[in-house]
Each structure stands twice: as C-alpha cells, then as structure tokens.
Amino acid sequence: MVSKKNLKPGDIILSEEPIVVGPCTGCKVQCLGCYKPLETATPYIKCKGCGWPLCSPKCRGLGKKHGHPQIECAVLKTTKSARLLDYNELEKMRSHYNAIVPLRCLLLKESDPQAYADLMKMETHNEIRRNIPELWRGNQESIVNRIIFDWGLKEYTQEEVHSICGILEVNSFEIGQQGVNIRGLYPTAFLMSHDCVPNTNHVDEEGSFRLTVRASTRIEHGETITLSYAYTLQCTLKRREHLLENKFFECQCKRCSDPTEMGTYSGALICPKCKTGYVLSTNPLDPEADWKCTNLERCPGYRITSKSMQLLIDRIGHEVDGIGCNDVVAMEAFLHKYRNVLHPTHYLCLGVKLSLSQLYGRISGYLIDKLSEDILLRKQQICEEIMKVFNVIEPGFTRLRGVTLYEMHAPLMILLTRQFENHCSKSELRSKLKKVVKCLEEASVILGYEPETSSEGMMGMAAKDALVRIKDWEKILGKF
Ligand SMILES: [Zn+2]
Ligand SMILES: [Zn+2]
Ligand SMILES: [Zn+2]
Ligand SMILES: [Zn+2]
C-alpha cells in the first residue's frame, strides 16, 4: 500500500469495519458475545441455545454480527463439547476457542459470499506452513478436526479450513481494550506492509471494532504505508524470529539491516573485555552470524556466537519476567545488576525503564506529591532516556511517545512548583515551564486520537486539563 498524497501526522489513512472478529488463539475463556473474560470465580451463564459461556442473558453481543450470531449458535448447539461443559471445567474449554474465528469465517461462505470471497483472496502461506509440522498438526487437531468432525461442518474441505487458519495467522489484527483478547480481519488494512519502524498507528473502537489507521509521521506521496507486526520494543534478533515464525517472512527493513538498530543499540551488550566497546552482530540479517566488539583497536579478537548471545538474552529475559509488575525496587536492582552487561537502552532495560517511567508517581509508596527530589529527577531522566529511543523506533504520533511525554511532564512540573516556592529566578522558571507545556501539548494531541474510555485516552484528557491550569501559572509568572 502506497500513499497517493502527502500525509501529515494524525491524517486518517483508512477507517473500516471488520469482516470478522473473535477470540485470539490461546485466549482465556471469554463471553462469545462481548469478549469479556470469564473465570470460574465470576458469575457467568450458559447460552440458552448452544450452552457456551456468556457474561449475562442480556449480553450486548447476543445475536450480533460481531458477537454471537444466531447462525453460530445453531452450529455450536449440535456439538457435544458444550453440552458436557461443567462450571468447574472452564479451563478444559479453552482450546475450543481457537476454532471460533475460523468457524465464523467459514459461515460467511453462505451468509455473506462477497465477504468470503474477499477473505479467500488474502495470503495463506500454505506451502510454508505445511512444512512446519508442529503448526500444521496443531491446526489439524484443534481447528480442522474440531470444525469438520466434532462440530459436523462436513461441507468444508480440510484444505479450506487450513487456508482460513493461514489467512488468520498472516492477516489478522489483535484488537480490543486492555485485558480483552480478540482479533479481527479487515478488508483492506491487511494490505499494509510491515516495517520495524512503522509510519502509522491504529486504534479500534470499542463495541463496533472499527479500525482507524492514521499516519504517525509525515508520509510523502509515493511512500509505502507501513505498520509493525512485531513488538517494536524488542531487539532485531527477537523481532525477526517472531516475524519468521508467525508471519513467515524475513524482515530486511532499515532497522533490521543496521547492527546498531539505527543508533538505538536495542540489542547491544557492553563488551565484557574492554568495557568501552559495544558487542553488535556482524550481520543482523543472518541470525546465525557472530557478534563482535566495536572497539577494533582495543579488542579486535572479541567475538561471541549468536547461539551464546541468544542464550544470554533468554536467561536475562527470564529474570525480567520474574519481576513483579509493581516491584520498583527489583526493577532498579535489575538495572544496577546489568549496568556493565547490557547497553543502557538494550531492549530488556528499555522495557524495565518504561515500567519505571509509569510506576514512579503512580503507585502506593511512590505517589507523585510525595516523591523526593532524587526520585523525581530519576523519573525525569528515565523518561528522557527512553524518549530518545522512541523518537527513532516509534516516531511521531504514537501511543508510546504520547504516554511517555505525559509521564515526563509530571516530575518537571512538581520540581518546578517546589523551586517556585524556594524563590529561584523567574527566567529559569519560565524556561522550565515552557518545557512542561511542550510535553503536555504534544501528549494531548497524540493521545487525543485514543478512545476516550482507554487509559491513554483518559491520559490525553488529563493532559488538556493540566494545560489549562498551567495557563494560570503563566499569568502569575507574567506579572514579575
Ligand atoms: Zn457478553
Ligand atoms: Zn449460543
Ligand atoms: Zn525489520
Ligand atoms: Zn571490546
């Protein structure tokens, strides 16, 4: 997909309703109508028709196209699996959810032949996928056999169901608000190519699942419109592995081709031998290539194999996964422990720093008004450090930048208030105030595109409110 005109950040590229929506593969048990997560502990009911769990008899998704439609209920009614369902066996039900979206796609063949035809034009990568035995066999058991033999849809061929699986794996979007685990297929959004530094951002509307794609940076006429199918906060090794295993291609983008990842060093180690150079891949497009120190004068021979590198990263990654999500002390201890091993903006540090940037000022024991000057400065420093990387890997109007700009304004503002009380120079105050205003203005514009009910959307509104209050401040300062 290529731009037919010059676009500026925030411009809408496309906005469309989904062809199909439903639970992600590997999701937890959820309401088939509205996708609310259901647990044994929370009350739920069984659908009167098919017996599958629902949030309530009045669920807003009952009978709806992108919820639990009649046609689906009729099919599931004939299956044995739901009838045997026990209130204590929700967990056993889990794998059955993998087949729901494929079923919804197949049902379109009769209910909406045009949508089905559009869908079947999408890439399946069957040839590649067929040669990954684990994947193909997994789909055969948990989706193909279930739909054809258990649910009794004998009118579809096994090949057809496998193609649907491929279409979903390659083209679907993970959507929904936080805590919800759903995916959707869209009629044109799938045409966007992948880039590890995308130039668009997308949001989906709650309830309707309408997907809106906006330019996040300037996009010139003729330029390719891109999004990222990988997690931008990971290093090249991890992103390329994910793309190869899940999207079946080897990324060759600018970021992947550059050993420094465009100067962000998000995969770099500090050289254990000379302590001044960085250890980078000798060929980032080859996952088997050795890694070596950049300091050619002092340690020309220092090399490690890609295998050792991966083992090291996985081991440290496990350590990060083991840190509690509010455990500020453990996060700081982690950063301290690896300060001579990982580059300060290595992706594992970056993830921890992103968490810290949001925890300081927000959780009990670290509320913003109570923070010491040292911790306020720490929050500010972390925000500035990660922003430098986000400006490169997720430039422009992106959620990550919007949120971090908002986080950055808080310590700046509190420090400013305290300095005001301590009578520092007015010109100094004015220049600092300008910095706060800049953060808030950009944050409110970027987050203004987020749904109002999402945490980012609410942050955007808080940024607007803070700007109004600051105008009063500026008036006070203006009098001096
Ligand atoms: Zn529901
Ligand atoms: Zn039903
Ligand atoms: Zn790439
Ligand atoms: Zn070295």
Side-chain angles (χ1 to χ4, degrees):
M1 198 189 275
V2 166
S3 180
K4 276 201 268 178
K5 56 180 184 183
N6 293 333
L7 296 166
K8 51 181 196 317
D11 282 352
I12 291 181
I13 293 169
L14 64 89
S15 181
E16 59 189 8
E17 304 272 335
I19 300 176
V20 69
V21 170
C24 283
T25 311
C27 72
K28 292 212 171 126
V29 170
Q30 47 183 269
C31 173
L32 275 192
C34 67
Y35 314 112
K36 188 182 159 195
L38 301 173
E39 281 164 60
T40 319
T42 56
Y44 66 94
I45 63 137
K46 289 180 176 190
C47 174
K48 270 202 191 116
C50 64
W52 278 58
L54 295 174
C55 66
S56 99
K58 287 190 187 126
C59 172
R60 60 183 152 97
L62 275 185
K64 296 278 163 58
K65 188 177 166 201
H66 296 311
H68 181 46
Q70 200 50 51
I71 178 174
E72 173 178 276
C73 192
V75 169
L76 294 176
K77 198 177 188 165
T78 63
T79 70
K80 290 163 271 173
S81 41
R83 291 278 158 228
L84 301 170
L85 187 70
D86 185 307
Y87 273 80
N88 306 314
E89 288 187 312
L90 280 190
E91 205 50 34
K92 280 192 189 160
M93 193 73 194
R94 254 179 91 166
S95 68
H96 295 232
Y97 281 80
N98 294 352
I100 289 290
V101 184
L103 170 68
R104 289 179 181 178
C105 292
L106 292 165
L107 291 176
L108 288 173
K109 195 172 182 181
E110 245 191 73
S111 66
D112 190 347
Q114 185 56 50
Y116 190 74
D118 289 346
L119 195 133
M120 291 311 277
K121 279 184 213 143
M122 296 183 188
E123 183 67 77
T124 65
H125 282 312
N126 275 358
E127 277 56 54
I128 302 174
R129 294 171 49 258
R130 201 188 305 275
N131 291 318
I132 309 173
E134 221 171 273
L135 175 79
W136 197 263
R137 212 181 315 119
N139 285 340
Q140 181 74 41
E141 284 162 14
S142 83
I143 301 172
V144 181
N145 291 353
R146 177 150 295 141
I147 289 180
I148 297 182
F149 304 114
D150 183 13
W151 295 354
L153 278 84
K154 302 238 160 44
E155 62 271 40
Y156 301 101
T157 66
Q158 300 201 23
E159 188 71 13
E160 205 169 9
V161 185
H162 272 295
S163 294
I164 294 282
C165 293
I167 287 167
L168 286 164
E169 282 159 29
V170 175
N171 303 290
S172 66
F173 283 75
E174 277 185 36
I175 55 171
Q177 309 286 313
Q178 244 173 8
V180 179
N181 224 224
I182 51 177
R183 52 183 166 161
L185 268 185
Y186 290 85
T188 50
F190 77 96
L191 290 167
M192 287 191 282
S193 0
H194 163 86
D195 196 292
C196 294
V197 181
N199 56 19
T200 65
N201 203 7
H202 55 267
V203 293
D204 60 278
E205 233 166 72
E206 209 188 343
S208 76
F209 310 107
R210 169 175 281 276
L211 186 82
T212 301
V213 179
R214 285 192 172 83
S216 52
T217 61
R218 284 192 64 85
I219 302 177
E220 306 299 326
H221 174 257
E223 206 176 309
T224 307
I225 294 172
T226 60
L227 61 81
S228 180
Y229 288 113
Y231 191 41
T232 51
L233 287 188
Q234 281 189 326
C235 66
T236 298
L237 214 51
K238 290 284 171 199
R239 286 193 321 279
R240 295 187 88 240
E241 182 185 81
H242 171 84
L243 292 168
L244 187 60
E245 283 176 7
N246 297 283
K247 301 289 169 180
F248 317 106
F249 72 93
E250 289 186 82
C251 189
Q252 316 264 346
C253 78
K254 197 171 151 200
R255 181 177 174 195
C256 284
S257 318
D258 177 354
T260 72
E261 302 199 30
M262 302 165 75
T264 62
Y265 292 88
S266 27
L269 300 188
I270 295 170
C271 176
K273 210 168 157 197
C274 68
K275 311 266 192 276
T276 53
Y278 296 122
V279 183
L280 299 175
S281 172
T282 51
N283 178 9
L285 296 182
D286 173 10
E288 310 283 309
D290 281 358
W291 288 57
K292 70 169 203 266
C293 177
T294 50
N295 195 345
L296 295 175
E297 280 157 35
R298 285 181 62 180
C299 51
Y302 184 78
R303 279 176 106 88
I304 69 166
T305 64
S306 174
K307 186 96 196 128
S308 319
M309 186 65 165
Q310 298 196 32
L311 285 172
L312 179 70
I313 294 306
D314 287 343
R315 188 176 60 71
I316 304 178
H318 272 299
E319 217 170 304
V320 174
D321 293 341
I323 301 177
C325 58
N326 283 339
D327 196 342
V328 166
V329 175
M331 290 182 196
E332 289 288 9
F334 170 86
L335 293 174
H336 187 75
K337 179 176 173 189
Y338 289 104
R339 71 194 182 285
N340 298 323
V341 178
L342 303 171
H343 187 283
T345 56
H346 186 279
Y347 86 98
L348 290 168
C349 297
L350 212 56
V352 169
K353 286 176 179 172
L354 176 63
S355 299
L356 283 172
S357 77
Q358 299 173 1
L359 291 170
Y360 282 136
R362 194 144 295 167
I363 56 163
S364 110
Y366 294 92
L367 292 176
I368 196 85
D369 295 329
K370 306 278 185 307
L371 289 185
S372 67
E373 187 169 331
D374 283 350
I375 297 189
L376 284 167
L377 287 168
R378 174 72 176 148
K379 176 166 170 118
Q380 179 188 340
Q381 176 224 339
I382 288 175
C383 289
E384 283 169 355
E385 193 177 14
I386 60 180
M387 264 311 270
K388 275 187 202 148
V389 178
F390 298 165
N391 288 341
V392 177
I393 62 174
E394 283 217 13
F397 286 9
T398 58
R399 227 161 281 151
L400 211 46
R401 286 191 70 252
V403 167
T404 308
L405 281 163
Y406 183 77
E407 292 298 343
M408 186 145 64
H409 106 276
L412 288 169
M413 191 65 206
I414 303 278
L415 286 166
L416 183 73
T417 319
R418 291 186 191 168
Q419 279 166 343
F420 184 72
E421 284 156 3
N422 293 334
H423 310 290
C424 84
S425 90
K426 297 294 167 288
S427 65
E428 199 185 325
L429 280 179
R430 226 171 266 134
S431 88
K432 285 189 175 161
L433 198 56
K434 224 177 236 168
K435 207 168 160 186
V436 178
V437 170
K438 228 180 133 223
C439 286
L440 284 173
E441 278 178 345
E442 204 179 352
S444 74
V445 171
I446 297 175
L447 300 175
Y449 295 115
E450 298 297 321
E452 280 180 15
T453 49
S454 67
S455 59
E456 291 90 353
M458 286 190 251
M459 211 178 250
M461 283 186 274
K464 275 199 190 94
D465 290 344
L467 271 171
V468 174
R469 285 199 301 276
I470 283 184
K471 295 290 169 204
D472 296 338
W473 259 78
E474 282 182 313
K475 273 180 219 149
I476 297 170
L477 281 176
K479 284 184 192 147
F480 289 98

